[in-house]
Amino acid sequence: MSTNLKISAALVATFVVGIAVLLGVNSGGGAESSTASGATVVREDSHRLSTATDGRVTLVEFLDFECESCRAAYPFIEQLREDYDGRVTFVARYFPMPGHANAENAAVAVEAAAQQGRFEDMYHRMYETQPEWGEGQDSQAALFRTFAADLGLDLAAYDAAVADPATLERVLRDREDGLALGVEGTPTFFLNGEKLDVSSTDEFIERIDAALAG
């Protein structure tokens, strides 16, 4: 298919480096899917950015909001969502990396927003602002709270969700699933059950097209 990818050459280069490190592809279809080893790729409560009408093809991303390669992939994924609207389900799962001081804080903030039905809005805000807060060692929880305020969230409910250990547990459950699946870095993708390494965004698109044609 013809796809007009709106990514700069620099972002493409960064993204390709990221996928060269680790890119896998997963099982689509049902609300909860597993690999042959029994590891869970998609759970009932996994966050779906877009949902396909037939449920045949699902693209899952294990991501870290502080990861520069994830941010580089972000416009590409957004373009794919537009190009494959209604044909591919896009699922986002948390995988905060230990080396990123605010990765868990960011994921908890997004999950707290998700509890008010605003997962995607906070997901976008994290990537759009990552250059402002990424790679720092001080907690950015207060900044993330301003994002919640900007989105018009109920701040009392947001604060309660951030403080609730169950919110972090929800984030870490995603990471535990990722570890069980062999995820070692971000971004890592799963599409209809087969792991693969790709070296370009064109190859990524070809694999999606093949899954749709299969």
Side-chain angles (χ1 to χ4, degrees):
M1 70 178 268
S2 173
T3 306
N4 179 22
L5 299 177
K6 302 172 183 175
I7 317 175
S8 71
L11 285 180
V12 171
T14 304
F15 177 42
V16 169
V17 168
I19 33 188
V21 173
L22 246 192
L23 185 80
V25 200
N26 143 45
S27 170
E32 182 161 332
S33 61
S34 302
T35 64
S37 66
T40 303
V41 183
V42 182
R43 291 184 178 271
E44 289 280 355
D45 64 351
S46 293
H47 296 297
R48 291 156 176 80
L49 293 165
S50 306
T51 302
T53 54
D54 60 12
R56 288 178 52 245
V57 177
T58 299
L59 180 70
V60 179
E61 179 183 4
F62 282 87
L63 59 86
D64 175 336
F65 291 109
E66 195 169 356
C67 166
E68 291 182 351
S69 292
C70 292
R71 181 173 178 267
Y74 165 67
F76 174 68
I77 298 303
E78 289 301 294
Q79 186 65 51
L80 291 180
R81 288 180 61 199
E82 180 180 332
D83 293 338
Y84 292 97
D85 184 39
R87 295 187 293 154
V88 175
T89 296
F90 290 81
V91 177
R93 301 201 66 184
Y94 308 113
F95 196 84
M97 298 290 289
H100 291 153
N102 281 286
E104 279 190 8
N105 285 338
V108 165
V110 174
E111 183 58 27
Q115 293 179 25
Q116 297 188 45
R118 303 296 293 277
F119 171 84
E120 186 172 351
D121 291 328
M122 190 68 97
Y123 162 92
H124 290 311
R125 185 63 60 91
M126 287 298 175
Y127 282 133
E128 291 163 359
T129 62
Q130 189 200 88
E132 301 172 22
W133 57 267
E135 303 302 324
Q137 296 305 306
D138 296 332
S139 171
Q140 297 297 313
L143 176 63
F144 300 155
R145 189 178 189 273
T146 70
F147 298 165
D150 291 344
L151 293 174
L153 299 185
D154 178 330
L155 290 183
Y158 173 85
D159 290 341
V162 168
D164 186 349
T167 305
L168 177 59
E169 289 169 8
R170 167 67 181 78
V171 169
L172 297 182
R173 186 165 67 249
D174 271 10
R175 186 167 69 187
E176 288 164 5
D177 281 344
L179 290 170
L181 290 162
V183 175
E184 297 177 353
T186 54
T188 295
F189 297 88
F190 290 82
L191 172 72
N192 283 0
E194 296 195 10
K195 263 190 176 186
L196 79 133
D197 295 320
V198 298
S199 58
S200 69
T201 53
D202 286 343
E203 187 178 356
F204 197 143
I205 292 165
E206 288 169 5
R207 299 307 173 97
I208 294 176
D209 289 342
L212 287 166

